[in-house]
């Protein structure tokens, strides 16, 4: 059945008002900040005696400062109070800040404008945990990746449009200041109006006591996140992206003017193509992920960030123009399109990287601690962005050119990715599985939502090929512990994958009775821990394409752990190169070649009392039908 597009969420009250509220907030932040920075760049002497170079460094830092100081408190507030009400309070605060800024604009009081910058940093800090904790409350697992994609797209488009409009309005003489003051206030009022449509979102912990010690609470948040290794390393991976993005984006103004020899329109073009890339990548995530939280996209995104970051260095070396150019002039230069393509693709792969990471954090962290976990993410993001500024200054001090800074960042990204993926091999395993079903095969799932989103269950499936586990694992919305023959488990190279996937080796009693009993104990413990366990009750690959008799191990598992059993059937794999089909190799590769169609059909859960080998055999056979 065709699924509704993620864009259909925009027309639904549970998502649309929230989306536009956060979009308008990001838009207004950047409209105000950009107008102020442009004004201080070109008209600083009319406002202050402080160096423009100093102000351009200090003002963004002041905007980020509240993320470090108040994120922990913001996370507590979002967990304690109902979120739609909190969103409206934040929007009222935004109106007050823009009124202060308006007075600053009209009286040429720079200190009021800087105070408003800090205020907008507080506004964004308070709304951040609400933004990402809201989604899991109102979206299903299948909608979460698409919803996150829309939010990321909306955020970056809002940033882009705010920057462009801020620069255009402040430059409009003689009414630039008035246009900015009135425009930012109007956007804040519109944001409040839209926020009244956000539906009720109950607080997960209304009895939570707000800590007055922001430093202690910040450390407590990070310590809590560390309890879940996968979530914490995902937080680090997310913060690394902000380091990467902040370092690259911070060099765009100088890269546009000093390296590409372009005017302001060239700088806007670089921002535009990067933001559009992020938006496109974020939106494509839903399609590539198959409407589930697919963390296999994270290594894919990381590879792209490195590959196209390195290519941006080489593309920059091939740019030879030394004459001043505007946007049209840049596009006429040799090598310019390659530079723009690299920037777009860095954005696209950044979307592939960041959206699944956020969805994983939302779904794997403690449901009563989502907002505080997001707050911890914001703290680390801010620290990593400050670190990126330090890294940029260090590289400049060492004499790096801007293209060399892009190259160094891309290479650092490769090392960071290898480090994170070595600590959490689930990312790499999911990537290999995702690659399999998006290159060699086309997999259609039937009733995949019958796999429970939470809690233990045993999955039983027919055994057709050597890649059955990868296909099932890639299609499942949750990690699965597979039970496999001990000889296959010890296969060189592949054994590493099986061990890191926490597969459970098993042997027949005649070969190793102790290992068999240990396997049953491990299965029981996995189910006790709330995991999914998958077994192939035939005990071996089919040699004919027909299903073999289901052995009695499933009955022993269910007798020990009273959990539901989910029958499944793989269809279409028989005859591929990775089966035991004795047909001619050429005929097999021709008839079951690249992009061959497969299906994974999931049946209704079977209670432990009904889950006999014979009954489950009939269920799987019915699901498979005649398609082998």
């Amino acid at each position: 059945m065709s699924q509704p597009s993620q864009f259909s969420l925009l027309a639904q009250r549970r998502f649309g008002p929230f989306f536009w509220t956060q979009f308008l907030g990001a838009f207004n932040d950047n409209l105000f900040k950009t107008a102020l920075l442009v004004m201080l760049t070109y008209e600083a002497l009319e406002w202050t005696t402080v160096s423009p170079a100093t102000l351009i460094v200090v003002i963004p830092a002041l905007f980020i400062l509240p993320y470090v100081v108040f994120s922990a408190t913001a996370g507590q507030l979002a967990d304690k109070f109902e979120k739609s009400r909190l969103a409206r309070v934040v929007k009222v605060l935004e109106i007050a800040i823009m009124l202060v800024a308006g007075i600053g604009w009209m009286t040429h009081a720079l200190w009021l404008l800087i105070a408003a910058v800090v205020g907008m940093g507080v506004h964004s800090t308070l709304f951040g945990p609400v933004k990402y904790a809201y989604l899991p409350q109102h979206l299903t697992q299948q909608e979460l990746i698409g919803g996150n994609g829309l939010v990321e797209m909306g955020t970056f488009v809002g940033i882009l449009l705010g920057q462009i409009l801020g620069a255009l309005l402040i430059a409009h003489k003689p009414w630039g200041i008035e246009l900015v003051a009135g425009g930012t206030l109007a956007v804040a009022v519109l944001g409040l109006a839209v926020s009244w449509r956000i539906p009720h979102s109950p607080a997960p912990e209304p009895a939570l006591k707000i800590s007055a010690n922001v430093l202690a609470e910040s450390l407590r948040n990070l310590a809590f996140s560390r309890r879940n290794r996968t979530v914490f390393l995902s937080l680090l991976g997310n913060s690394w992206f902000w380091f990467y993005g902040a370092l690259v984006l911070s060099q765009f103004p100088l890269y546009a003017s000093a390296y590409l020899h372009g005017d302001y329109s060239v700088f806007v073009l670089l921002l535009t193509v990067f933001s559009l890339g992020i938006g496109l990548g974020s939106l494509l995530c839903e399609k590539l992920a198959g409407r589930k939280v697919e963390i296999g996209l994270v290594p894919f995104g990381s590879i792209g960030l490195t590959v196209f970051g390195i290519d941006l260095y080489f593309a920059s070396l091939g740019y030879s123009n030394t004459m001043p150019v505007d946007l049209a002039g840049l596009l006429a230069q040799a090598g310019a399109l390659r530079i723009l393509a690299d920037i777009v693709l860095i954005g696209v792969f950044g979307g592939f990287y960041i959206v699944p990471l956020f969805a994983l954090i939302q779904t794997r962290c403690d449901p009563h601690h989502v907002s505080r976990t997001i707050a911890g993410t914001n703290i680390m993001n801010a620290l990593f962005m400050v670190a990126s500024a330090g890294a940029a200054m260090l590289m400049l001090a060492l004499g790096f050119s801007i293209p060399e800074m892009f190259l160094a960042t891309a290479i650092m990204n490769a090392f960071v990715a290898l480090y994170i993926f070595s600590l959490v091999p689930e990312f790499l395993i999911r990537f290999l599985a995702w690659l399999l079903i998006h290159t060699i095969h086309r997999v259609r799932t039937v009733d995949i939502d019958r796999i429970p989103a939470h809690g233990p269950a045993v999955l039983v499936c027919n055994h057709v090929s050597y890649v059955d586990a990868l296909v099932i694992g890639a299609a499942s919305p949750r990690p699965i512990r597979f039970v496999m023959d001990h000889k296959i488990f010890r296969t060189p190279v592949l054994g590493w994958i099986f061990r890191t996937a926490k597969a459970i080796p098993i042997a027949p009693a005649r070969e190793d009775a102790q290992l068999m009993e240990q396997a049953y104990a491990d299965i029981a413990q996995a189910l006790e821990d709330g995991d999914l366990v998958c077994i192939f009750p035939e005990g071996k690959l089919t040699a004919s394409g027909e299903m073999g008799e289901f052995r009695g191990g499933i009955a022993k598992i269910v007798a020990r752990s009273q959990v539901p059993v989910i029958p499944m059937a793989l269809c279409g794999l028989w005859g591929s190169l990775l089966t035991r089909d004795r047909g001619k190799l050429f005929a097999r590769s021709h008839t079951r070649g690249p992009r061959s169609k497969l299906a994974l059909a999931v049946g209704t859960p079977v209670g432990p009392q009904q889950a006999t080998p014979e009954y489950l055999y009939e269920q799987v056979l019915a699901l498979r039908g005649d398609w082998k």
Side-chain angles (χ1 to χ4, degrees):
M1 283 183 13
S2 63
Q3 299 287 347
S5 163
Q6 65 199 96
F7 290 102
S8 65
L9 291 171
L10 293 171
Q12 300 177 35
R13 187 182 172 192
R14 62 195 174 109
F15 184 82
F18 157 79
F19 172 86
W20 292 113
T21 299
Q22 67 86 28
F23 172 85
L24 290 168
F27 173 79
N28 216 23
D29 278 346
N30 287 274
L31 193 162
F32 172 62
K33 281 193 303 176
T34 304
L36 180 58
L37 290 173
V38 170
M39 181 273 296
L40 291 174
T41 301
Y42 294 101
E43 303 175 19
L45 293 178
E46 299 178 20
W47 291 73
T48 180
T49 58
V50 180
S51 162
T54 300
L55 290 171
I56 288 172
V57 171
V58 168
I59 287 174
L62 289 174
F63 182 81
I64 293 172
L65 181 63
Y67 282 93
V68 179
V69 177
F70 297 117
S71 282
T73 302
Q76 289 181 297
L77 292 172
D79 277 337
K80 180 178 178 62
F81 297 107
E82 191 272 322
K83 292 181 181 60
S84 67
R85 180 184 175 190
L86 192 57
R88 291 190 288 273
V89 170
V90 171
K91 290 293 129 179
V92 170
L93 174 63
E94 183 182 357
I95 292 173
I97 294 167
M98 288 300 101
L99 285 170
V100 170
I103 296 171
W105 284 118
M106 302 311 296
T107 61
H108 279 221
L110 182 59
W111 68 274
L112 281 178
L113 293 173
I114 291 177
V117 169
V118 177
M120 288 305 284
V122 173
H123 157 271
S124 298
T125 301
L126 292 174
F127 193 68
V130 175
K131 178 167 72 172
Y132 289 107
Y134 174 91
L135 293 177
Q137 283 188 297
H138 293 272
L139 302 184
T140 65
Q141 282 271 350
Q142 291 75 23
E143 294 170 329
L144 197 56
I145 197 79
N148 272 291
L150 284 170
V151 168
E152 292 301 323
M153 179 274 296
T155 299
F156 277 92
V157 171
I159 290 171
L160 171 65
L161 294 179
Q163 289 174 335
I164 294 173
L165 189 61
L168 291 175
L169 290 182
I170 198 66
H172 190 283
K173 302 300 181 184
W175 301 103
I177 287 176
E178 290 80 3
L179 288 172
V180 171
T184 51
L185 181 59
V187 173
V189 171
L190 180 60
L192 176 62
V194 173
S195 70
W196 281 100
R197 293 282 297 163
I198 296 176
H200 185 81
S201 307
E205 283 202 61
L208 179 68
K209 184 178 179 181
I210 305 296
S211 171
N213 190 330
V214 293
L215 177 60
E217 185 60 26
S218 298
L219 295 175
R220 192 178 299 117
N221 267 5
L222 296 177
F224 186 89
S225 298
R226 285 178 66 91
R227 297 179 193 174
N228 187 321
R229 182 182 179 84
T230 301
V231 168
F232 183 70
L233 289 170
S234 297
L235 298 183
L236 288 178
N238 173 75
S239 296
W240 167 254
F241 173 76
W242 286 98
F243 178 101
Y244 183 111
L247 199 153
V248 171
L249 284 174
S250 67
Q251 302 311 308
F252 274 4
L254 194 56
Y255 182 66
S257 62
Y259 205 90
L260 300 180
H261 305 287
D263 61 9
Y264 187 78
S265 67
V266 172
F267 167 58
V268 171
L269 176 64
L270 299 185
L271 286 178
T272 300
V273 296
F274 180 79
S275 298
L276 291 177
I278 288 278
L280 179 61
S282 299
L283 293 177
L284 285 174
C285 279
E286 184 187 49
K287 182 174 180 60
L288 294 177
R291 297 177 64 84
K292 64 179 183 295
V293 178
E294 180 50 85
I295 63 174
L297 287 176
V298 177
F300 187 47
S302 188
I303 290 169
L305 288 173
T306 290
V307 168
F308 293 106
I310 291 173
D311 193 68
L312 180 58
Y313 164 76
F314 288 108
S316 300
L317 294 185
Y319 184 82
S320 57
N321 171 61
T322 57
M323 299 296 293
V325 291
D326 58 10
L327 190 153
L330 175 74
L331 296 177
Q333 300 300 316
L337 291 180
R338 179 180 173 187
I339 289 172
L340 294 176
D342 282 330
I343 293 173
V344 169
L345 289 168
I346 288 172
V348 168
F349 281 86
F352 294 163
Y353 180 89
I354 196 72
V355 170
L357 268 183
F358 248 121
L360 181 143
I361 293 167
Q362 290 165 325
T363 54
R364 298 276 187 96
C365 72
D366 185 340
H368 297 290
H369 209 277
V370 176
S371 296
R372 281 167 286 173
T373 301
I374 299 300
T377 305
N378 289 340
I379 294 170
M380 288 201 293
N381 288 350
L383 294 174
F384 271 65
M385 289 171 72
V386 171
S388 77
M393 289 189 289
L394 176 62
M395 284 190 272
L396 288 172
L398 293 174
F400 280 51
S401 68
I402 294 178
E404 286 171 344
M405 292 172 69
F406 294 155
L407 175 65
T409 307
I411 292 172
M412 282 192 290
N413 179 73
F415 283 105
V416 170
L418 288 173
Y419 173 70
I420 292 176
F421 301 149
S422 67
L423 294 178
V424 188
E426 183 186 349
F427 285 105
L428 184 58
I429 293 168
R430 293 288 299 196
F431 173 59
L432 294 175
W434 177 84
L435 204 59
L436 170 73
I437 67 170
H438 284 84
T439 55
I440 299 176
H441 298 296
R442 287 175 293 167
V443 180
R444 177 173 63 92
T445 58
V446 180
D447 295 325
I448 196 71
D449 56 340
R450 288 175 172 170
I451 295 177
H454 305 283
V458 177
L459 312 178
V460 297
C461 190
N462 56 321
H463 205 4
V464 189
S465 77
Y466 294 104
V467 295
D468 290 352
L470 283 177
V471 173
I472 295 169
S476 171
R478 291 175 57 192
I480 298 174
R481 303 280 303 274
F482 287 92
V483 181
M484 62 172 51
D485 183 86
H486 67 112
K487 294 177 182 176
I488 298 176
F489 181 83
R490 297 188 178 107
T491 304
V493 182
L494 289 177
W496 173 83
I497 297 177
F498 301 144
R499 286 192 299 275
T500 54
K502 297 183 179 179
I504 300 172
I506 193 168
R510 64 179 182 277
E511 293 183 22
D512 192 334
Q514 183 177 356
L515 180 60
M516 184 184 73
E517 289 305 317
Q518 182 61 49
Y520 284 120
D522 290 343
I523 293 169
Q525 184 59 54
L527 294 171
E528 177 69 22
D529 294 340
D531 294 340
L532 293 176
V533 174
C534 181
I535 68 170
F536 299 99
E538 296 165 89
K540 61 182 179 180
L541 288 178
T542 176
S544 63
E546 299 300 332
M547 284 173 49
E549 178 185 0
F550 280 15
R551 299 181 179 179
I554 181 61
K556 187 173 181 178
I557 292 170
V558 174
R560 185 167 180 174
S561 304
Q562 294 288 301
V563 298
V565 180
I566 316 291
M568 304 190 305
L570 282 166
C571 313
L573 267 169
W574 177 247
S576 71
L577 292 173
L578 295 171
T579 63
R580 289 182 172 174
D581 185 358
R582 289 181 168 79
K584 293 182 179 179
L585 181 62
F586 174 78
R588 290 163 63 190
S589 62
H590 178 71
T591 58
R592 307 295 304 149
R595 307 301 292 149
S596 59
K597 294 182 179 179
L598 309 178
L600 175 66
V602 182
T604 55
V606 177
Q609 287 73 29
Q610 288 181 282
T612 63
E614 296 77 16
Y615 182 76
L616 292 171
Y617 176 91
E618 294 298 329
Q619 294 296 304
V620 174
L621 183 62
L623 287 168
R624 193 204 69 171
D626 296 328
W627 187 19
K628 301 178 184 179

